[in-house]
PDB file of all heavy atoms in Angstrom:
ATOM      1  N   HIS A 239      22.599  63.238  29.337  1.00 94.00           N
ATOM      2  CA  HIS A 239      23.325  64.198  30.141  1.00 94.00           C
ATOM      3  C   HIS A 239      22.578  65.531  30.249  1.00 94.00           C
ATOM      4  O   HIS A 239      23.125  66.612  29.990  1.00 94.00           O
ATOM      5  CB  HIS A 239      24.743  64.449  29.601  1.00 94.00           C
ATOM      6  CG  HIS A 239      25.637  65.105  30.635  1.00 94.00           C
ATOM      7  ND1 HIS A 239      26.444  64.361  31.465  1.00 94.00           N
ATOM      8  CD2 HIS A 239      25.818  66.397  30.989  1.00 94.00           C
ATOM      9  CE1 HIS A 239      27.095  65.175  32.275  1.00 94.00           C
ATOM     10  NE2 HIS A 239      26.721  66.431  32.014  1.00 94.00           N
ATOM     11  N   CYS A 240      21.298  65.422  30.606  1.00 96.00           N
ATOM     12  CA  CYS A 240      20.460  66.612  30.829  1.00 96.00           C
ATOM     13  C   CYS A 240      19.808  66.548  32.199  1.00 96.00           C
ATOM     14  O   CYS A 240      18.695  67.037  32.391  1.00 96.00           O
ATOM     15  CB  CYS A 240      19.373  66.685  29.739  1.00 96.00           C
ATOM     16  SG  CYS A 240      19.978  66.894  28.072  1.00 96.00           S
ATOM     17  N   GLN A 241      20.502  65.927  33.167  1.00 92.00           N
ATOM     18  CA  GLN A 241      19.879  65.669  34.465  1.00 92.00           C
ATOM     19  C   GLN A 241      19.591  66.910  35.271  1.00 92.00           C
ATOM     20  O   GLN A 241      18.856  66.852  36.242  1.00 92.00           O
ATOM     21  CB  GLN A 241      20.708  64.671  35.286  1.00 92.00           C
ATOM     22  CG  GLN A 241      22.180  64.995  35.434  1.00 92.00           C
ATOM     23  CD  GLN A 241      23.031  64.325  34.394  1.00 92.00           C
ATOM     24  OE1 GLN A 241      22.834  64.543  33.208  1.00 92.00           O
ATOM     25  NE2 GLN A 241      23.981  63.493  34.814  1.00 92.00           N
ATOM     26  N   ASN A 242      20.139  68.061  34.850  1.00 94.00           N
ATOM     27  CA  ASN A 242      19.845  69.304  35.547  1.00 94.00           C
ATOM     28  C   ASN A 242      18.833  70.172  34.809  1.00 94.00           C
ATOM     29  O   ASN A 242      18.733  71.363  35.056  1.00 94.00           O
ATOM     30  CB  ASN A 242      21.136  70.079  35.797  1.00 94.00           C
ATOM     31  CG  ASN A 242      22.005  69.405  36.840  1.00 94.00           C
ATOM     32  OD1 ASN A 242      21.560  69.087  37.921  1.00 94.00           O
ATOM     33  ND2 ASN A 242      23.264  69.173  36.509  1.00 94.00           N
ATOM     34  N   THR A 243      18.088  69.569  33.891  1.00 96.00           N
ATOM     35  CA  THR A 243      16.982  70.275  33.246  1.00 96.00           C
ATOM     36  C   THR A 243      16.053  70.830  34.324  1.00 96.00           C
ATOM     37  O   THR A 243      15.703  70.125  35.267  1.00 96.00           O
ATOM     38  CB  THR A 243      16.216  69.333  32.310  1.00 96.00           C
ATOM     39  OG1 THR A 243      17.095  68.886  31.272  1.00 96.00           O
ATOM     40  CG2 THR A 243      15.016  70.039  31.677  1.00 96.00           C
ATOM     41  N   LEU A 244      15.641  72.080  34.183  1.00 97.00           N
ATOM     42  CA  LEU A 244      14.895  72.761  35.236  1.00 97.00           C
ATOM     43  C   LEU A 244      13.414  72.423  35.185  1.00 97.00           C
ATOM     44  O   LEU A 244      12.860  72.155  34.131  1.00 97.00           O
ATOM     45  CB  LEU A 244      15.074  74.276  35.106  1.00 97.00           C
ATOM     46  CG  LEU A 244      16.497  74.812  35.201  1.00 97.00           C
ATOM     47  CD1 LEU A 244      16.515  76.318  35.007  1.00 97.00           C
ATOM     48  CD2 LEU A 244      17.121  74.441  36.545  1.00 97.00           C
ATOM     49  N   LYS A 245      12.797  72.487  36.351  1.00 96.00           N
ATOM     50  CA  LYS A 245      11.344  72.371  36.433  1.00 96.00           C
ATOM     51  C   LYS A 245      10.717  73.677  35.932  1.00 96.00           C
ATOM     52  O   LYS A 245      11.356  74.727  35.933  1.00 96.00           O
ATOM     53  CB  LYS A 245      10.910  72.098  37.858  1.00 96.00           C
ATOM     54  CG  LYS A 245      11.351  70.740  38.390  1.00 96.00           C
ATOM     55  CD  LYS A 245      10.861  70.511  39.815  1.00 96.00           C
ATOM     56  CE  LYS A 245      11.303  69.166  40.343  1.00 96.00           C
ATOM     57  NZ  LYS A 245      10.857  68.931  41.751  1.00 96.00           N
ATOM     58  N   GLU A 246       9.493  73.585  35.497  1.00 96.00           N
ATOM     59  CA  GLU A 246       8.772  74.773  34.995  1.00 96.00           C
ATOM     60  C   GLU A 246       8.818  75.889  36.027  1.00 96.00           C
ATOM     61  O   GLU A 246       8.531  75.688  37.199  1.00 96.00           O
ATOM     62  CB  GLU A 246       7.337  74.406  34.667  1.00 96.00           C
ATOM     63  CG  GLU A 246       6.586  75.496  33.926  1.00 96.00           C
ATOM     64  CD  GLU A 246       5.232  75.029  33.423  1.00 96.00           C
ATOM     65  OE1 GLU A 246       5.143  73.886  32.929  1.00 96.00           O
ATOM     66  OE2 GLU A 246       4.272  75.813  33.540  1.00 96.00           O
ATOM     67  N   GLY A 247       9.213  77.077  35.590  1.00 95.00           N
ATOM     68  CA  GLY A 247       9.369  78.227  36.474  1.00 95.00           C
ATOM     69  C   GLY A 247      10.780  78.397  36.995  1.00 95.00           C
ATOM     70  O   GLY A 247      11.101  79.453  37.553  1.00 95.00           O
ATOM     71  N   GLY A 248      11.621  77.411  36.772  1.00 97.00           N
ATOM     72  CA  GLY A 248      12.982  77.470  37.319  1.00 97.00           C
ATOM     73  C   GLY A 248      13.877  78.481  36.638  1.00 97.00           C
ATOM     74  O   GLY A 248      14.795  79.036  37.263  1.00 97.00           O
ATOM     75  N   TYR A 249      13.635  78.744  35.356  1.00 98.00           N
ATOM     76  CA  TYR A 249      14.494  79.676  34.631  1.00 98.00           C
ATOM     77  C   TYR A 249      14.372  81.100  35.145  1.00 98.00           C
ATOM     78  O   TYR A 249      15.372  81.818  35.279  1.00 98.00           O
ATOM     79  CB  TYR A 249      14.229  79.619  33.125  1.00 98.00           C
ATOM     80  CG  TYR A 249      14.992  78.533  32.432  1.00 98.00           C
ATOM     81  CD1 TYR A 249      14.414  77.295  32.175  1.00 98.00           C
ATOM     82  CD2 TYR A 249      16.318  78.744  32.032  1.00 98.00           C
ATOM     83  CE1 TYR A 249      15.124  76.288  31.547  1.00 98.00           C
ATOM     84  CE2 TYR A 249      17.031  77.745  31.398  1.00 98.00           C
ATOM     85  CZ  TYR A 249      16.433  76.520  31.160  1.00 98.00           C
ATOM     86  OH  TYR A 249      17.151  75.519  30.546  1.00 98.00           O
ATOM     87  N   GLU A 250      13.167  81.507  35.451  1.00 97.00           N
ATOM     88  CA  GLU A 250      12.979  82.885  35.933  1.00 97.00           C
ATOM     89  C   GLU A 250      13.738  83.113  37.231  1.00 97.00           C
ATOM     90  O   GLU A 250      14.432  84.120  37.410  1.00 97.00           O
ATOM     91  CB  GLU A 250      11.495  83.172  36.128  1.00 97.00           C
ATOM     92  CG  GLU A 250      11.209  84.613  36.538  1.00 97.00           C
ATOM     93  CD  GLU A 250       9.753  84.969  36.497  1.00 97.00           C
ATOM     94  OE1 GLU A 250       8.916  84.060  36.364  1.00 97.00           O
ATOM     95  OE2 GLU A 250       9.448  86.183  36.590  1.00 97.00           O
ATOM     96  N   GLU A 251      13.655  82.152  38.143  1.00 97.00           N
ATOM     97  CA  GLU A 251      14.367  82.261  39.414  1.00 97.00           C
ATOM     98  C   GLU A 251      15.874  82.231  39.222  1.00 97.00           C
ATOM     99  O   GLU A 251      16.618  83.005  39.817  1.00 97.00           O
ATOM    100  CB  GLU A 251      13.931  81.102  40.329  1.00 97.00           C
ATOM    101  CG  GLU A 251      14.592  81.116  41.694  1.00 97.00           C
ATOM    102  CD  GLU A 251      14.139  79.960  42.569  1.00 97.00           C
ATOM    103  OE1 GLU A 251      13.130  79.305  42.219  1.00 97.00           O
ATOM    104  OE2 GLU A 251      14.793  79.712  43.608  1.00 97.00           O
ATOM    105  N   LEU A 252      16.346  81.330  38.355  1.00 97.00           N
ATOM    106  CA  LEU A 252      17.790  81.193  38.124  1.00 97.00           C
ATOM    107  C   LEU A 252      18.373  82.445  37.471  1.00 97.00           C
ATOM    108  O   LEU A 252      19.425  82.923  37.880  1.00 97.00           O
ATOM    109  CB  LEU A 252      18.037  79.977  37.219  1.00 97.00           C
ATOM    110  CG  LEU A 252      19.488  79.541  37.045  1.00 97.00           C
ATOM    111  CD1 LEU A 252      20.070  79.005  38.325  1.00 97.00           C
ATOM    112  CD2 LEU A 252      19.592  78.478  35.923  1.00 97.00           C
ATOM    113  N   VAL A 253      17.684  82.969  36.479  1.00 98.00           N
ATOM    114  CA  VAL A 253      18.160  84.152  35.760  1.00 98.00           C
ATOM    115  C   VAL A 253      18.192  85.372  36.680  1.00 98.00           C
ATOM    116  O   VAL A 253      19.145  86.158  36.686  1.00 98.00           O
ATOM    117  CB  VAL A 253      17.276  84.419  34.520  1.00 98.00           C
ATOM    118  CG1 VAL A 253      17.524  85.783  33.947  1.00 98.00           C
ATOM    119  CG2 VAL A 253      17.529  83.342  33.458  1.00 98.00           C
ATOM    120  N   ALA A 254      17.156  85.519  37.493  1.00 97.00           N
ATOM    121  CA  ALA A 254      17.129  86.626  38.449  1.00 97.00           C
ATOM    122  C   ALA A 254      18.251  86.514  39.468  1.00 97.00           C
ATOM    123  O   ALA A 254      18.895  87.503  39.837  1.00 97.00           O
ATOM    124  CB  ALA A 254      15.779  86.687  39.143  1.00 97.00           C
ATOM    125  N   GLY A 255      18.503  85.288  39.912  1.00 97.00           N
ATOM    126  CA  GLY A 255      19.561  85.052  40.879  1.00 97.00           C
ATOM    127  C   GLY A 255      20.944  85.375  40.336  1.00 97.00           C
ATOM    128  O   GLY A 255      21.844  85.722  41.112  1.00 97.00           O
ATOM    129  N   ALA A 256      21.124  85.288  39.027  1.00 98.00           N
ATOM    130  CA  ALA A 256      22.411  85.630  38.419  1.00 98.00           C
ATOM    131  C   ALA A 256      22.577  87.119  38.211  1.00 98.00           C
ATOM    132  O   ALA A 256      23.673  87.571  37.856  1.00 98.00           O
ATOM    133  CB  ALA A 256      22.543  84.904  37.074  1.00 98.00           C
TER     134      ALA A 256
END
Side-chain angles (χ1 to χ4, degrees):
H239 197 92
C240 297
Q241 51 267 59
N242 290 308
T243 298
L244 300 177
K245 293 182 180 179
E246 189 171 319
Y249 274 96
E250 184 170 12
E251 181 180 347
L252 188 68
V253 167

